[in-house]
Amino acid sequence: MADHPLTPSDLATAGPVALAQGRVPGQDWRFSVVFEMARVLARQQDLETLPLELLSCVIRTWEAAEAGALLLYDPSDGWLAVRAALGYDLAGAPHIRLAPGEGPYGRVFQTGQAELYPAPEAVAAARASLTLANRELFAAATAGLRPAQCAVFLPLLTPEARVGVLILENRQRPGSFAAADMPFLQALADLIALAVENARLRKELQAARALEEANRLEAELTSILAHEMRTPLTSIKGYSTALLMDEVAFSPETQREFLQIIDEECDTLQELIHDLLESSIIDAGLLRIEPQPLRLPHLAQKVSDDMAHRAPQHRFLIDFSPDFPIVDADPNRVEQVLRNLLDNAVKYSPDGGLIVIRGEVGQDEVVISVADQGVGIAPEHLNRLFEKFFRVTSALGRHVVGSGLGLPIARTIVESHGGRIWAESQLGQGTTFYFTLPLKGPDRTAADKELQDER
Ligand code: ADP
C-alpha cells in the first residue's frame, strides 16, 4: 500500500490501493451526497453557517468520510483558517492559521491539485511538515482520537478564485478513499467552492450596499443639517448683532421682541439637534422602551398645555372619555410622539386654527389622533412621511425648518410598543395623525390595579 501522497498520474492509473474499501455499497452514495448538498444550498446561503452545513452534508451521506475540515482562505490577511470541522476537538481549531504552501493543506491550496494519502504513515508524515505551532494545534484538536488512517485533501477552486481546502479523513481503515472517487470528490469540492464564494460575494455586496447607503445618508444628513441650521442661525446672528449695535438704541419693547425671536430660534436649533441625536440612537439600536402604567389623557393635557403656551394662535382641544383605560407604555417616549405630532400640527398650520387630540378605545388597542386644520398633505406624499429625511417642500410656499426625522422617530417608538402610526389628510384642509397602543400589556391587571389604587 502506498504511504506517500498519490500524484495525479498515480490517480490516473489507480491500482488496487485505490479501490474503495469503506464506502457506501452500491452506486447511489454519490447521488445521496449531491442530493443532500442541493438541499443545503437551496435553503442555506449564509457564509457563517454554510461551510459547516456543507461539510456535515458530505460526512453524513458518505460513510468513508468520518471526519473532516474546511479551511477557507481570507485574502484580507493571507491565511487559511479552519471555518468548519467535524470529528475534531474544536477548542484549538479556530486558532489554526496556515500560509499558502504550508503542509499538504497549503500545498493543495497553492497548486490546485488534490492529494490522496491512503495510509496512516502518509497522513502523519504530511502533518509533520506543518509549522510547530500548527502541529501542536492539530495535535490538540485530535488528542484522544484515533489517528487518521487515510485522508484526502481537495482544493476548493472556482474559475476566478482559490477559496480554500477540504480535508476528509477515515479513522478506521487505510485505503477507504479510492483514487477512482477523486474526480467525483473534486467535482463536489468545486461545488462547495462555488457555493462558498457565492455566499462570500453576496456578503460583500450587502456590506458594500450598506456602506453606500450609509455614506449617502451621511452626505444627505450633512447637507440637510447645514441647510436647516442656517435659517435659525442667520436669524439669531441678525438679531443679536442688531442688539449689540452701539449706534442704534432700541426701545425696551423692541429689545424684548428681538430676544424673544432669538430664544425661539434657539429652541428650533435645539429641536433639530435633539432629532438628530435621537435618530442616531435609534440607528445604533439603543432605543429603550420602559413601559409602565400610563394615563394618556393626563399626558395629552400636559403636552397640549405646553404647546398652547408656545402657539397662542392655535386652540387646543382634548377629547378623551372619562373612563379611558390605562395603557402600558413608556411615558417619556409616548410624550415624545405626542410632542412631535403637536409640533407638526402647529408648524404646518401657519394660520392657526383648532388642534384636536382625541383618544378612542378599540377592541385591543387605543387610538390617539392629532388633527389640525393646516396645509394638509398631498396623497402621493402620505406614504412617504415616515421615511427618514422626507419633507414636503411645496405646501407652505415658505421654508419651515425641520429635520425630516420627527415622524420616523415617532414611528419607531410607536412600533416598539407594538402599535401603528399613519396619517390622513386633505390638501388645504388639514391633517390627522393616528397612532395606536396595544391595550393588553403583559401584566395589565396589576398595572390597572396599581393606578386604580392611586386614584
Ligand atoms: P419635519 O417636520 O422636521 O420636517 P417630520 O418627520 O416631523 O419632519 O415631518 C416630515 C414632513 O411631513 C414634514 O416636512 C411635512 O412636510 C410633513 N408633515 C408632517 N406633519 C404634518 C402636518 N401636520 N401637516 C402637514 N404636513 C405635515
Side-chain angles (χ1 to χ4, degrees), residues 344 347-348 372 377 385 390-392 402-404 406-408 431 433:
N344 280 348
K347 253 191 344 191
Y348 300 105
D372 64 54
I377 301 165
L385 295 178
F390 179 79
R391 307 198 69 217
V392 183
S403 61
L407 289 177
T431 305
F433 277 88

Side-chain angles (χ1 to χ4, degrees), residues 307-363:
M307 198 57 73
H309 218 67
R310 291 167 49 194
Q313 270 188 305
H314 296 79
R315 285 172 299 124
F316 293 84
L317 181 80
I318 308 280
D319 181 16
F320 283 73
S321 62
D323 57 348
F324 195 83
I326 289 154
V327 296
D328 284 324
D330 185 323
N332 294 326
R333 293 299 177 185
V334 176
E335 179 172 339
Q336 201 177 343
V337 174
L338 277 172
R339 272 190 196 288
N340 205 293
L341 297 182
L342 280 178
D343 223 35
N344 280 348
V346 169
K347 253 191 344 191
Y348 300 105
S349 49
D351 301 330
L354 181 66
I355 294 175
V356 181
I357 309 160
R358 179 166 288 132
E360 285 161 295
V361 187
Q363 187 81 4

